[in-house]
Amino acid sequence: MKFIKLISLSLITILQFSCNRQIFSTNGETIYKTGKNLKGEKMLDKKASRITIVNSCKTCHGKNGDAMQKVSIKFSYLSNRNNFTIPYTDSLLYRFLDNDIKSDGTKANIGVIWKMNDQDKKDLLEYLKTL
């Protein structure tokens, strides 16, 4: 009887954790909301980052990309000339992700460094354009 209860409890626990796993529509959305790509690879470079407690872009920037008071991560904001002397382009955003360099060429020094392959960066940018 104890064995059956143990098996039942184990199955319920496994099903509960499986059902709680969120599935997102794109790789970019997955990266933004979880910090991992669809393959499950973690995007945060903990060795290069000073701040290692973040899990994803959403951790700081929020569900809609505009939780930070000084800067939104929405691409419509980043690419707007009214917000930046040198607005972000696709390539400037990629440079930011790779080297922590702002659109004007100065060091961002945010303390969070991401490691993404070209496709992951492209997918994330496409998602940011939907926010």
Side-chain angles (χ1 to χ4, degrees), residues 84-106:
F84 295 93
T85 306
I86 301 173
Y88 282 85
T89 61
D90 292 11
S91 61
L92 290 177
L93 184 69
Y94 296 149
R95 181 181 73 177
F96 174 80
L97 291 170
D98 289 338
N99 302 306
D100 197 28
I101 304 290
K102 294 188 233 179
S103 62
D104 65 4
T106 61

PDB file of all heavy atoms in Angstrom, residues 84-106:
ATOM      1  N   PHE A  84      17.184  58.955 -28.354  1.00  0.00           N
ATOM      2  CA  PHE A  84      18.632  58.743 -28.397  1.00  0.00           C
ATOM      3  C   PHE A  84      19.248  59.604 -29.488  1.00  0.00           C
ATOM      4  O   PHE A  84      18.688  59.706 -30.583  1.00  0.00           O
ATOM      5  CB  PHE A  84      18.965  57.267 -28.687  1.00  0.00           C
ATOM      6  CG  PHE A  84      18.527  56.335 -27.599  1.00  0.00           C
ATOM      7  CD1 PHE A  84      17.284  55.720 -27.662  1.00  0.00           C
ATOM      8  CD2 PHE A  84      19.333  56.080 -26.506  1.00  0.00           C
ATOM      9  CE1 PHE A  84      16.852  54.870 -26.657  1.00  0.00           C
ATOM     10  CE2 PHE A  84      18.917  55.234 -25.493  1.00  0.00           C
ATOM     11  CZ  PHE A  84      17.669  54.620 -25.567  1.00  0.00           C
ATOM     12  N   THR A  85      20.410  60.194 -29.193  1.00  0.00           N
ATOM     13  CA  THR A  85      21.139  60.964 -30.201  1.00  0.00           C
ATOM     14  C   THR A  85      21.443  60.077 -31.395  1.00  0.00           C
ATOM     15  O   THR A  85      21.270  60.473 -32.541  1.00  0.00           O
ATOM     16  CB  THR A  85      22.457  61.516 -29.610  1.00  0.00           C
ATOM     17  OG1 THR A  85      22.145  62.247 -28.422  1.00  0.00           O
ATOM     18  CG2 THR A  85      23.167  62.398 -30.592  1.00  0.00           C
ATOM     19  N   ILE A  86      21.887  58.880 -31.099  1.00  0.00           N
ATOM     20  CA  ILE A  86      22.105  57.868 -32.136  1.00  0.00           C
ATOM     21  C   ILE A  86      21.139  56.723 -31.828  1.00  0.00           C
ATOM     22  O   ILE A  86      21.380  55.925 -30.919  1.00  0.00           O
ATOM     23  CB  ILE A  86      23.560  57.364 -32.154  1.00  0.00           C
ATOM     24  CG1 ILE A  86      24.504  58.529 -32.410  1.00  0.00           C
ATOM     25  CG2 ILE A  86      23.735  56.253 -33.188  1.00  0.00           C
ATOM     26  CD1 ILE A  86      25.960  58.193 -32.285  1.00  0.00           C
ATOM     27  N   PRO A  87      20.018  56.668 -32.530  1.00  0.00           N
ATOM     28  CA  PRO A  87      19.040  55.608 -32.264  1.00  0.00           C
ATOM     29  C   PRO A  87      19.616  54.230 -32.593  1.00  0.00           C
ATOM     30  O   PRO A  87      20.500  54.090 -33.442  1.00  0.00           O
ATOM     31  CB  PRO A  87      17.876  55.937 -33.186  1.00  0.00           C
ATOM     32  CG  PRO A  87      18.204  57.194 -33.868  1.00  0.00           C
ATOM     33  CD  PRO A  87      19.614  57.554 -33.593  1.00  0.00           C
ATOM     34  N   TYR A  88      19.104  53.235 -31.922  1.00  0.00           N
ATOM     35  CA  TYR A  88      19.551  51.867 -32.169  1.00  0.00           C
ATOM     36  C   TYR A  88      19.038  51.372 -33.509  1.00  0.00           C
ATOM     37  O   TYR A  88      17.917  51.653 -33.906  1.00  0.00           O
ATOM     38  CB  TYR A  88      19.059  50.933 -31.062  1.00  0.00           C
ATOM     39  CG  TYR A  88      19.868  51.048 -29.792  1.00  0.00           C
ATOM     40  CD1 TYR A  88      19.577  52.025 -28.848  1.00  0.00           C
ATOM     41  CD2 TYR A  88      20.941  50.198 -29.551  1.00  0.00           C
ATOM     42  CE1 TYR A  88      20.327  52.142 -27.689  1.00  0.00           C
ATOM     43  CE2 TYR A  88      21.692  50.307 -28.400  1.00  0.00           C
ATOM     44  CZ  TYR A  88      21.382  51.284 -27.474  1.00  0.00           C
ATOM     45  OH  TYR A  88      22.131  51.392 -26.332  1.00  0.00           O
ATOM     46  N   THR A  89      19.896  50.656 -34.175  1.00  0.00           N
ATOM     47  CA  THR A  89      19.547  49.902 -35.384  1.00  0.00           C
ATOM     48  C   THR A  89      19.703  48.431 -35.013  1.00  0.00           C
ATOM     49  O   THR A  89      20.171  48.118 -33.917  1.00  0.00           O
ATOM     50  CB  THR A  89      20.502  50.246 -36.545  1.00  0.00           C
ATOM     51  OG1 THR A  89      21.838  49.885 -36.141  1.00  0.00           O
ATOM     52  CG2 THR A  89      20.438  51.727 -36.897  1.00  0.00           C
ATOM     53  N   ASP A  90      19.376  47.566 -35.924  1.00  0.00           N
ATOM     54  CA  ASP A  90      19.575  46.143 -35.653  1.00  0.00           C
ATOM     55  C   ASP A  90      21.032  45.871 -35.277  1.00  0.00           C
ATOM     56  O   ASP A  90      21.309  45.228 -34.269  1.00  0.00           O
ATOM     57  CB  ASP A  90      19.198  45.301 -36.875  1.00  0.00           C
ATOM     58  CG  ASP A  90      17.710  45.311 -37.184  1.00  0.00           C
ATOM     59  OD1 ASP A  90      16.964  46.126 -36.606  1.00  0.00           O
ATOM     60  OD2 ASP A  90      17.293  44.497 -38.037  1.00  0.00           O
ATOM     61  N   SER A  91      21.966  46.371 -36.074  1.00  0.00           N
ATOM     62  CA  SER A  91      23.375  46.073 -35.821  1.00  0.00           C
ATOM     63  C   SER A  91      23.871  46.713 -34.520  1.00  0.00           C
ATOM     64  O   SER A  91      24.708  46.137 -33.828  1.00  0.00           O
ATOM     65  CB  SER A  91      24.249  46.504 -37.001  1.00  0.00           C
ATOM     66  OG  SER A  91      24.149  47.891 -37.208  1.00  0.00           O
ATOM     67  N   LEU A  92      23.356  47.877 -34.162  1.00  0.00           N
ATOM     68  CA  LEU A  92      23.770  48.502 -32.896  1.00  0.00           C
ATOM     69  C   LEU A  92      23.215  47.738 -31.694  1.00  0.00           C
ATOM     70  O   LEU A  92      23.874  47.650 -30.652  1.00  0.00           O
ATOM     71  CB  LEU A  92      23.351  49.968 -32.840  1.00  0.00           C
ATOM     72  CG  LEU A  92      24.105  50.900 -33.782  1.00  0.00           C
ATOM     73  CD1 LEU A  92      23.548  52.317 -33.699  1.00  0.00           C
ATOM     74  CD2 LEU A  92      25.602  50.881 -33.494  1.00  0.00           C
ATOM     75  N   LEU A  93      22.038  47.163 -31.839  1.00  0.00           N
ATOM     76  CA  LEU A  93      21.514  46.340 -30.753  1.00  0.00           C
ATOM     77  C   LEU A  93      22.337  45.059 -30.616  1.00  0.00           C
ATOM     78  O   LEU A  93      22.653  44.642 -29.505  1.00  0.00           O
ATOM     79  CB  LEU A  93      20.046  45.997 -30.951  1.00  0.00           C
ATOM     80  CG  LEU A  93      19.454  45.226 -29.769  1.00  0.00           C
ATOM     81  CD1 LEU A  93      19.362  46.116 -28.530  1.00  0.00           C
ATOM     82  CD2 LEU A  93      18.112  44.658 -30.096  1.00  0.00           C
ATOM     83  N   TYR A  94      22.727  44.468 -31.743  1.00  0.00           N
ATOM     84  CA  TYR A  94      23.579  43.275 -31.689  1.00  0.00           C
ATOM     85  C   TYR A  94      24.906  43.614 -31.010  1.00  0.00           C
ATOM     86  O   TYR A  94      25.413  42.839 -30.196  1.00  0.00           O
ATOM     87  CB  TYR A  94      23.845  42.717 -33.095  1.00  0.00           C
ATOM     88  CG  TYR A  94      22.616  42.214 -33.813  1.00  0.00           C
ATOM     89  CD1 TYR A  94      22.542  42.291 -35.199  1.00  0.00           C
ATOM     90  CD2 TYR A  94      21.534  41.672 -33.142  1.00  0.00           C
ATOM     91  CE1 TYR A  94      21.431  41.829 -35.883  1.00  0.00           C
ATOM     92  CE2 TYR A  94      20.412  41.210 -33.820  1.00  0.00           C
ATOM     93  CZ  TYR A  94      20.377  41.289 -35.187  1.00  0.00           C
ATOM     94  OH  TYR A  94      19.275  40.841 -35.859  1.00  0.00           O
ATOM     95  N   ARG A  95      25.471  44.761 -31.334  1.00  0.00           N
ATOM     96  CA  ARG A  95      26.731  45.194 -30.709  1.00  0.00           C
ATOM     97  C   ARG A  95      26.542  45.356 -29.204  1.00  0.00           C
ATOM     98  O   ARG A  95      27.397  44.979 -28.410  1.00  0.00           O
ATOM     99  CB  ARG A  95      27.221  46.507 -31.330  1.00  0.00           C
ATOM    100  CG  ARG A  95      28.544  46.976 -30.738  1.00  0.00           C
ATOM    101  CD  ARG A  95      29.007  48.272 -31.325  1.00  0.00           C
ATOM    102  NE  ARG A  95      28.179  49.368 -30.821  1.00  0.00           N
ATOM    103  CZ  ARG A  95      28.381  50.640 -31.108  1.00  0.00           C
ATOM    104  NH1 ARG A  95      29.361  50.984 -31.926  1.00  0.00           N
ATOM    105  NH2 ARG A  95      27.607  51.573 -30.608  1.00  0.00           N
ATOM    106  N   PHE A  96      25.406  45.917 -28.805  1.00  0.00           N
ATOM    107  CA  PHE A  96      25.108  46.056 -27.384  1.00  0.00           C
ATOM    108  C   PHE A  96      25.087  44.686 -26.701  1.00  0.00           C
ATOM    109  O   PHE A  96      25.674  44.491 -25.636  1.00  0.00           O
ATOM    110  CB  PHE A  96      23.765  46.771 -27.184  1.00  0.00           C
ATOM    111  CG  PHE A  96      23.335  46.815 -25.750  1.00  0.00           C
ATOM    112  CD1 PHE A  96      23.873  47.764 -24.898  1.00  0.00           C
ATOM    113  CD2 PHE A  96      22.429  45.904 -25.255  1.00  0.00           C
ATOM    114  CE1 PHE A  96      23.499  47.801 -23.559  1.00  0.00           C
ATOM    115  CE2 PHE A  96      22.043  45.938 -23.924  1.00  0.00           C
ATOM    116  CZ  PHE A  96      22.588  46.884 -23.081  1.00  0.00           C
ATOM    117  N   LEU A  97      24.407  43.735 -27.308  1.00  0.00           N
ATOM    118  CA  LEU A  97      24.317  42.398 -26.725  1.00  0.00           C
ATOM    119  C   LEU A  97      25.680  41.714 -26.651  1.00  0.00           C
ATOM    120  O   LEU A  97      25.988  41.035 -25.671  1.00  0.00           O
ATOM    121  CB  LEU A  97      23.346  41.522 -27.535  1.00  0.00           C
ATOM    122  CG  LEU A  97      21.875  41.911 -27.457  1.00  0.00           C
ATOM    123  CD1 LEU A  97      21.066  41.121 -28.478  1.00  0.00           C
ATOM    124  CD2 LEU A  97      21.321  41.710 -26.053  1.00  0.00           C
ATOM    125  N   ASP A  98      26.509  41.913 -27.661  1.00  0.00           N
ATOM    126  CA  ASP A  98      27.821  41.268 -27.715  1.00  0.00           C
ATOM    127  C   ASP A  98      28.863  41.938 -26.823  1.00  0.00           C
ATOM    128  O   ASP A  98      29.692  41.270 -26.219  1.00  0.00           O
ATOM    129  CB  ASP A  98      28.367  41.268 -29.150  1.00  0.00           C
ATOM    130  CG  ASP A  98      27.611  40.311 -30.053  1.00  0.00           C
ATOM    131  OD1 ASP A  98      26.972  39.373 -29.546  1.00  0.00           O
ATOM    132  OD2 ASP A  98      27.664  40.519 -31.281  1.00  0.00           O
ATOM    133  N   ASN A  99      28.841  43.278 -26.790  1.00  0.00           N
ATOM    134  CA  ASN A  99      29.954  44.003 -26.177  1.00  0.00           C
ATOM    135  C   ASN A  99      29.568  44.994 -25.087  1.00  0.00           C
ATOM    136  O   ASN A  99      30.432  45.705 -24.586  1.00  0.00           O
ATOM    137  CB  ASN A  99      30.735  44.751 -27.264  1.00  0.00           C
ATOM    138  CG  ASN A  99      31.241  43.814 -28.326  1.00  0.00           C
ATOM    139  OD1 ASN A  99      31.916  42.846 -28.035  1.00  0.00           O
ATOM    140  ND2 ASN A  99      30.875  44.077 -29.573  1.00  0.00           N
ATOM    141  N   ASP A 100      28.276  45.091 -24.761  1.00  0.00           N
ATOM    142  CA  ASP A 100      27.814  46.020 -23.726  1.00  0.00           C
ATOM    143  C   ASP A 100      28.158  47.472 -24.105  1.00  0.00           C
ATOM    144  O   ASP A 100      28.548  48.281 -23.283  1.00  0.00           O
ATOM    145  CB  ASP A 100      28.440  45.642 -22.378  1.00  0.00           C
ATOM    146  CG  ASP A 100      27.740  46.244 -21.178  1.00  0.00           C
ATOM    147  OD1 ASP A 100      26.530  46.500 -21.263  1.00  0.00           O
ATOM    148  OD2 ASP A 100      28.407  46.460 -20.145  1.00  0.00           O
ATOM    149  N   ILE A 101      27.985  47.782 -25.405  1.00  0.00           N
ATOM    150  CA  ILE A 101      28.276  49.120 -25.937  1.00  0.00           C
ATOM    151  C   ILE A 101      26.962  49.769 -26.364  1.00  0.00           C
ATOM    152  O   ILE A 101      26.192  49.192 -27.123  1.00  0.00           O
ATOM    153  CB  ILE A 101      29.224  49.048 -27.164  1.00  0.00           C
ATOM    154  CG1 ILE A 101      30.512  48.315 -26.819  1.00  0.00           C
ATOM    155  CG2 ILE A 101      29.482  50.429 -27.734  1.00  0.00           C
ATOM    156  CD1 ILE A 101      31.435  49.050 -25.896  1.00  0.00           C
ATOM    157  N   LYS A 102      26.723  50.996 -25.861  1.00  0.00           N
ATOM    158  CA  LYS A 102      25.507  51.738 -26.216  1.00  0.00           C
ATOM    159  C   LYS A 102      25.546  52.179 -27.681  1.00  0.00           C
ATOM    160  O   LYS A 102      26.587  52.125 -28.333  1.00  0.00           O
ATOM    161  CB  LYS A 102      25.361  52.965 -25.327  1.00  0.00           C
ATOM    162  CG  LYS A 102      25.127  52.664 -23.878  1.00  0.00           C
ATOM    163  CD  LYS A 102      24.805  53.952 -23.157  1.00  0.00           C
ATOM    164  CE  LYS A 102      25.678  54.164 -21.958  1.00  0.00           C
ATOM    165  NZ  LYS A 102      25.378  55.424 -21.267  1.00  0.00           N
ATOM    166  N   SER A 103      24.427  52.673 -28.154  1.00  0.00           N
ATOM    167  CA  SER A 103      24.334  53.088 -29.559  1.00  0.00           C
ATOM    168  C   SER A 103      25.319  54.194 -29.896  1.00  0.00           C
ATOM    169  O   SER A 103      25.813  54.275 -31.018  1.00  0.00           O
ATOM    170  CB  SER A 103      22.908  53.544 -29.895  1.00  0.00           C
ATOM    171  OG  SER A 103      22.545  54.673 -29.125  1.00  0.00           O
ATOM    172  N   ASP A 104      25.655  55.049 -28.921  1.00  0.00           N
ATOM    173  CA  ASP A 104      26.598  56.148 -29.174  1.00  0.00           C
ATOM    174  C   ASP A 104      28.060  55.724 -29.060  1.00  0.00           C
ATOM    175  O   ASP A 104      28.969  56.531 -29.191  1.00  0.00           O
ATOM    176  CB  ASP A 104      26.314  57.335 -28.250  1.00  0.00           C
ATOM    177  CG  ASP A 104      26.556  57.027 -26.783  1.00  0.00           C
ATOM    178  OD1 ASP A 104      27.027  55.910 -26.442  1.00  0.00           O
ATOM    179  OD2 ASP A 104      26.250  57.909 -25.954  1.00  0.00           O
ATOM    180  N   GLY A 105      28.303  54.458 -28.801  1.00  0.00           N
ATOM    181  CA  GLY A 105      29.662  53.932 -28.744  1.00  0.00           C
ATOM    182  C   GLY A 105      30.288  53.913 -27.356  1.00  0.00           C
ATOM    183  O   GLY A 105      31.397  53.430 -27.188  1.00  0.00           O
ATOM    184  N   THR A 106      29.587  54.415 -26.359  1.00  0.00           N
ATOM    185  CA  THR A 106      30.121  54.397 -24.999  1.00  0.00           C
ATOM    186  C   THR A 106      29.766  53.087 -24.302  1.00  0.00           C
ATOM    187  O   THR A 106      28.807  52.405 -24.684  1.00  0.00           O
ATOM    188  CB  THR A 106      29.581  55.585 -24.159  1.00  0.00           C
ATOM    189  OG1 THR A 106      28.159  55.487 -24.076  1.00  0.00           O
ATOM    190  CG2 THR A 106      29.983  56.914 -24.762  1.00  0.00           C
TER     191      THR A 106
END
